[in-house]
Amino acid sequence: SYKECHDVLNAIRSRFPEYDILSISNPLPDCALAAKNDELFILNYETGSCLTGNPIDNCRTDFNGAGIQVFKGEKSAFFNMEGEQLTDFRVGNFSWKWDTRCINALRQIIIDEATGRKFLSDGTSFEE
């Protein structure tokens, strides 16, 4: 019956009655994807703040848990799973690959395809 899930969703809905809650804990933990007046937001349901401070157009989450790409018009920025913005909004995509040098602790390398910059999910620059 997923009672606990429904309880969490209802608690979030009651905290943010002005929003239509579309998804919880996705795209980021402790966040909800929400709509209001035909605009899309990523809300932190613990703090009540909006991830970007204003509406977004879309988000992409296929970075194997390293973070998300948030779109505003033609521009996008990369945010880690803690909700920290690691790049400025700019035109271009992001990709990722595994750091194979670290055998005991696999970690993702995010590649800013517009600039060629490579970094880890904590924002640290990565040099090969």
Side-chain angles (χ1 to χ4, degrees), residues 3-94:
K3 181 180 177 347
E4 294 85 7
C5 294
H6 290 283
D7 291 345
V8 169
L9 178 58
N10 289 333
I12 294 168
R13 282 182 175 151
S14 67
R15 184 155 184 219
F16 303 102
E18 67 276 17
Y19 290 93
D20 182 19
I21 304 300
L22 306 174
S23 175
I24 58 174
S25 294
N26 187 17
L28 296 173
D30 299 325
C31 287
L33 191 60
K36 178 181 177 183
N37 300 328
D38 295 329
E39 295 180 315
L40 190 61
F41 298 86
I42 299 174
L43 298 176
N44 182 310
Y45 52 77
E46 298 291 324
T47 66
S49 64
C50 175
L51 182 68
T52 61
N54 45 41
I56 65 170
D57 290 321
N58 201 355
C59 61
R60 180 176 155 222
T61 62
D62 59 345
F63 297 95
N64 205 30
I68 65 171
Q69 182 176 2
V70 175
F71 295 87
K72 291 182 183 181
E74 298 276 325
K75 296 182 177 183
S76 66
F78 195 86
F79 291 76
N80 66 15
M81 294 304 284
E82 289 75 38
E84 298 171 79
Q85 185 174 341
L86 301 183
T87 69
D88 293 331
F89 279 87
R90 81 300 172 277
V91 175
N93 241 339
F94 295 92

